[in-house]
Amino acid sequence: MKKPPYGVKLHYKVVFPYRFNMGGIYKLKRLIIGMLSLFPVPFLFHFYEYNSHLARQHADFLFPVFLVFIIVVGISSRNIKFPLFFGLNFIMTVISLIFGYFYIVDDGGWFKPFGRDAAIIFVSIIYILGQLIIRVFSKQGHTNSQSNK
């Protein structure tokens, strides 16, 4: 490549299709945490359980998958603030109730004595409490590992 004439400056600017900056990664991380927190796990719990009941099969993967969701969402949401945590879980409960209304029949024999909606809310409370327990333990483990360095 030739040198430019005297007094002329060349400005080379490499253009990447995606800019790699840390602000974008944190926004993506927050988006993923929000999507995980809004995933309607209580609805899916009862949808799988009720459809297994109708097919006269055992719901073998119900409890292990439920625990995996509690652990994954609890660990991923350990750094968000409590008002946002409870707000996202409240919205998740409402989404689960809406999906339950449309996709799960309110079978009085299966959801007795309280009904489908109360069962979804009960599982949602258990799910939120499990996330809180995982948050506490993961924060303690995270701060202990940071202090050992």
Side-chain angles (χ1 to χ4, degrees):
M1 188 168 141
K2 289 175 121 181
K3 280 187 166 183
Y6 182 73
V8 176
K9 293 183 180 181
L10 292 179
H11 297 282
Y12 293 102
K13 186 174 186 182
V14 179
V15 179
F16 291 107
Y18 302 102
R19 291 190 71 189
F20 185 76
N21 61 6
M22 295 307 285
I25 289 179
Y26 291 126
K27 288 179 184 178
L28 181 64
K29 183 179 175 183
R30 286 177 43 191
L31 177 71
I32 291 171
I33 290 170
M35 288 173 52
L36 280 175
S37 297
L38 291 175
F39 204 70
V41 174
F43 160 74
L44 294 173
F45 181 92
H46 284 291
F47 186 74
Y48 177 61
E49 180 187 31
Y50 185 66
N51 285 331
S52 295
H53 165 70
L54 291 178
R56 299 194 189 288
Q57 296 176 348
H58 292 286
D60 295 330
F61 299 110
L62 185 66
F63 188 66
V65 172
F66 187 65
L67 284 180
V68 166
F69 268 108
I70 288 174
I71 292 169
V72 168
V73 175
I75 289 173
S76 68
S77 67
R78 71 178 169 217
N79 293 328
I80 64 173
K81 297 178 181 173
F82 272 115
L84 180 60
F85 174 77
F86 284 117
L88 286 173
N89 279 303
F90 177 76
I91 294 170
M92 179 266 314
T93 303
V94 170
I95 291 170
S96 294
L97 286 171
I98 291 170
F99 282 166
Y101 178 78
F102 287 113
Y103 295 110
I104 302 175
V105 178
D106 195 5
D107 187 359
W110 181 252
F111 294 111
K112 63 180 170 182
F114 298 110
R116 175 197 62 220
D117 296 338
I120 290 174
I121 291 172
F122 177 72
V123 170
S124 181
I125 291 170
I126 299 298
Y127 181 63
I128 293 168
L129 289 175
Q131 286 181 30
L132 286 172
I133 291 169
I134 296 297
R135 274 177 61 113
V136 168
F137 286 129
S138 69
K139 275 188 177 181
Q140 286 178 352
H142 184 67
T143 56
N144 288 341
S145 67
Q146 293 290 333
S147 63
N148 291 337
K149 291 184 177 180

